[in-house]
Every structure is written in C-alpha cells, then in structure tokens.
Amino acid sequence: MASTSRIRILARASTAIFFVVYFALAVHSEYWLGVVTTHPIGDDFKIYYGAYQKALTGQNPYEPYGIGSGFIYHPSALTLVSLIAWFGDQRVSTYLWIAISAAAWGVSIWLAIRLAEAAWACECRISDKPRISRWFVVLVFLGFAPFWETLHIGQVNAFVVLCTLLAIHWSQRRPLAAGLALALAVVLKTSPLVLAAYFGAMRRFRLVASAIAGLLVLSWISSVQFSPQVFNQFWTILPRLGSEVHPDTYNQSFLSVVYQTFSSLSQGNSDATLVLGYRLAFLGVSTALLAIGLFVHLKSGQLSIWLYMAVIAATVFFSPLVWYHHSTLLLLPLSALILNPGRIGLGVGLGLVFLLQAERAFEQFETLTAYPIVVVHLVLIGMLVTLYLKCNGRFLHNSGDRSLDSPLT
C-alpha cells in the first residue's frame, strides 16, 4: 500500500516537473520569436492581407516573390482571408484571425485525441486503455510552442490541421463533407494534395470527387472575386516552390539541412542533384505508403488512421519548406504516440514532443538547428509504419477476413 502511494507521488512529481520545464521552453520560444528575432504579432497575416489588397486592385499578389516574405498559396486562400479582412482594418482582422485560429486548434486537439483513441481501439491494442489521460494531451498541445508561433505570426496552420483532421474524421460516413474539408486544406497549403492520393488509394472515390468539386467551386469564386489572371500568376510561381532548395537557417526541411551540410563540407553546387534525389525519394516513399492502401488489407477504419498519420508525417518530412510552426501539422501522429498504451511508445512520443518544444533552445548553441527536427521526423515515420504493420498483422490474426467498422462518426 505504501509502495503504491510512493509510486503515485513520484508519478505526480514527474508530471509536474515535466510541465514546468515544458512550459518554460514555450515561454523561451515566444521570447526568441518576439524579442530575439523581433517578429511582430501577425507578421505572416500581414503578407496575406497585403496580397488580398493587391488582388482586389488588379495587382499581382504573388509579387515580389519571396519565401517567407511573399504570398505563395492558392488564390482561393485570398477569398478565405477576405472573410476576415472585410472590416477594412488590418489590426482588427489580425486579432480576429488569431482568435479563430486558437478556436480551430482547440477543436483540432479534441479531434486528434478522438482519432488517436480510435486508432488504438482496434483489436491490435496492447492494453485496455492508454497510460496517459486526455487532459495530459490537452495540456501538452495547448502549451505546444509551434502552436504559439502559429498564433504569434498569424499563420494558416491551425486551419489546415483542422481541415485535414475533419477529412479523416468524416471520411467513412460523410465523404462529401470530408472532401470539402480536404479542398479547404489544399487551398490553404498545397501539400495536403498528397492526402487526395491517399483517399484515392483507400478507394474513397466519392470523397476525392467531392474534393475536386470543392476545389473547382472555390477556384471559380476566386476568379469572379478577383480575376482569372490571378491563377496564371499562381501557376507561374508554383513550379519554383518544388524546384528550389530554399536554404535558410530557419528552414527545417531535410533538403535544406543536407544542402547546408554539403555546402559546409565544400561539396560544390549540388542543387539540381539534391532536388532530383529528394523528389525521387518522396515519390518512392509515398508510392510505398499508398501501395499499402491499394494492396494490403485495410478493411478496418482504425488501421486506415495509422496509414493516414504515416502519410502526413512523410509529407511534412519531404516538404522543401518546413518552418518551426509546421510541427503543428503533426498533431495527430504525436497525439497517437502519447496515447500509446505501451511504456516504450509513450516514452518515444513524449520524447519527440519535448524535442520539438526544445528546438529554439538548441538555437542558442547550434546554427544548423534543424538536426533535432530531422530526428523527430525520421523517428516518427519509423514508429508510425512499425505500429501500422503490427496492427495490421494482429488484426489479420484476430479477425481473419472480418471487417471492423470505424468508431468515428
């Protein structure tokens, strides 16, 4: 009895220490962003707002072209910005955007927990319930430093995360709504297009058709609101995003890390080779993951969530542009690891979240700060693929050809 009491006290003390350090790192990240690097509130939303104003007056919203300083999203993103910008006051619009982003993140946390629990609810589960409570996960992601950076600079990430989670949440029973959610994610950030391929591999054809229809309708609205010319301007800059290395101290993409490492080793100009190799690697990995959906037993809705998480993690890893706030896109897979019923998986999940939280502290000592992020991405992808394969094997062993309905609604 006394031993059990001591264990509980130790567990509570460890949790308290974890959160004290964790929130201290979040405060440090905000200090780094607002004081050390002097990023004002709504810095990125200012770019969106300015591009919207240009499009309204017939100017090119994509000029001047600049990564981190110019507008690079689908023209329909400007239509969504216009819903916030109708006040005609940039400051009011900025704080409204931030407030709605915070609300979207709160809903996303709830959805991520529900989806993660659904993933662990399949017959491959290690035990009856996770070792970590829902409230622990809520606190972790309310204090998540990449989320606070998203709010601080007025990024679109909270909306993208919400849309991608709604897409998988609604995928089985509300495919039309799921497709619309995916379409919204794509106009806000181009990379979710890969998820359309995922749903195609999963034979969710109504969802894919809904996403295509949603994109067409949103595009038509934007062309009427602004001008069809804005799409020509978008297609002009789009190829550059995937054909450039974008080497930058703050670009945490593996491509950027490799390029900067080679440059420091005086390997010469290898831009074209690196980009080609990167594209081929992404094509190979994404093809392998999608092939699982095509050829491996995926009748279980829970198993499909694991594959969805692996595709998301791989998409973030292979993106040529990965800023610190992009770690918010990993909300679902990180939540799943933290809710892992096994001690090892739980420890890995908490370790990855803590490493992400400590990223800005690394920048005090190391210029190429993306090394910790690359480690997080690689470990996360490896864990997700391993867990999926284990779940798939045990599912087949326990249920044969019997299909399981997803508990999602």
Side-chain angles (χ1 to χ4, degrees), residues 112-150:
I113 291 174
R114 186 166 186 189
L115 287 163
E117 289 177 341
W120 286 113
C122 63
E123 292 194 8
C124 70
R125 64 178 181 268
I126 299 172
S127 63
D128 290 334
K129 63 180 182 179
R131 298 173 181 272
I132 292 295
S133 72
R134 291 179 175 181
W135 286 111
F136 184 97
V137 181
V138 169
L139 284 176
V140 164
F141 290 109
L142 284 180
F144 197 41
F147 160 63
W148 286 102
E149 178 165 305
T150 293

Side-chain angles (χ1 to χ4, degrees), residues 47-348:
I47 297 173
Y48 312 152
Y49 192 92
Y52 163 67
Q53 294 292 336
K54 283 184 177 181
L56 273 183
T57 58
Q59 301 178 63
N60 187 348
Y62 297 98
E63 290 184 350
Y65 173 80
I67 299 301
S69 60
F71 183 74
I72 57 174
Y73 302 136
H74 188 281
S76 295
L78 296 175
T79 298
L80 299 177
V81 170
S82 71
L83 300 176
I84 307 295
W86 65 272
F87 288 99
D89 185 303
Q90 182 177 322
R91 184 174 180 180
V92 172
S93 297
T94 297
Y95 284 103
L96 180 59
W97 178 272
I98 291 173
I100 298 175
S101 294
W105 182 251
V107 176
S108 296
I109 293 174
W110 175 79
L111 279 172
I113 291 174
R114 186 166 186 189
L115 287 163
E117 289 177 341
W120 286 113
C122 63
E123 292 194 8
C124 70
R125 64 178 181 268
I126 299 172
S127 63
D128 290 334
K129 63 180 182 179
R131 298 173 181 272
I132 292 295
S133 72
R134 291 179 175 181
W135 286 111
F136 184 97
V137 181
V138 169
L139 284 176
V140 164
F141 290 109
L142 284 180
F144 197 41
F147 160 63
W148 286 102
E149 178 165 305
T150 293
L151 289 188
H152 184 116
I153 62 178
Q155 254 289 333
V156 300
N157 300 324
F159 303 117
V160 176
V161 173
L162 178 58
C163 289
T164 56
L165 293 182
L166 286 173
I168 184 66
H169 181 67
W170 286 334
S171 60
Q172 295 191 45
R173 300 185 182 180
R174 301 176 186 174
L176 299 182
L180 179 58
L182 182 58
L184 288 171
V186 170
V187 302
L188 290 170
K189 204 173 279 287
T190 310
S191 57
L193 266 175
V194 178
L195 300 179
Y198 160 83
F199 285 117
M202 294 294 295
R203 301 172 181 84
R204 307 289 184 195
F205 300 123
R206 291 180 64 194
L207 190 158
V208 174
S210 175
I212 294 173
L215 279 172
L216 291 175
V217 171
L218 288 170
S219 299
W220 175 78
I221 293 173
S222 300
S223 66
V224 171
Q225 183 180 11
F226 305 114
S227 165
Q229 182 63 26
V230 75
F231 284 90
N232 294 331
Q233 296 160 350
F234 173 62
W235 297 123
T236 299
I237 65 106
L238 188 60
R240 299 182 62 178
L241 298 177
S243 61
E244 297 175 349
V245 177
H246 310 294
D248 188 283
T249 302
Y250 304 125
N251 182 6
Q252 299 169 340
S253 166
F254 182 64
L255 179 61
S256 175
V257 172
V258 171
Y259 179 86
Q260 293 182 70
T261 301
F262 282 179
S263 296
S264 67
L265 295 175
S266 301
Q267 295 295 317
N269 296 322
S270 54
D271 302 42
T273 303
L274 280 175
V275 170
L276 177 60
Y278 210 60
R279 286 178 171 178
L280 291 175
F282 178 58
L283 179 62
V285 171
S286 58
T287 300
L289 290 174
L290 295 177
I292 293 175
L294 283 170
F295 303 113
V296 178
H297 183 91
L298 272 174
K299 292 183 179 179
S300 166
Q302 294 90 342
L303 291 176
S304 68
I305 300 174
W306 286 110
L307 184 58
Y308 191 73
M309 290 188 283
V311 171
I312 289 176
T315 301
V316 173
F317 174 75
F318 282 103
S319 173
L321 287 170
V322 180
W323 308 121
Y324 184 53
H325 48 75
H326 286 172
S327 294
T328 54
L329 302 173
L330 301 174
L331 173 63
L332 176 56
L334 290 173
S335 297
L337 288 192
I338 295 175
L339 288 168
N340 193 319
R343 284 193 178 92
I344 296 177
L346 168 61
V348 172

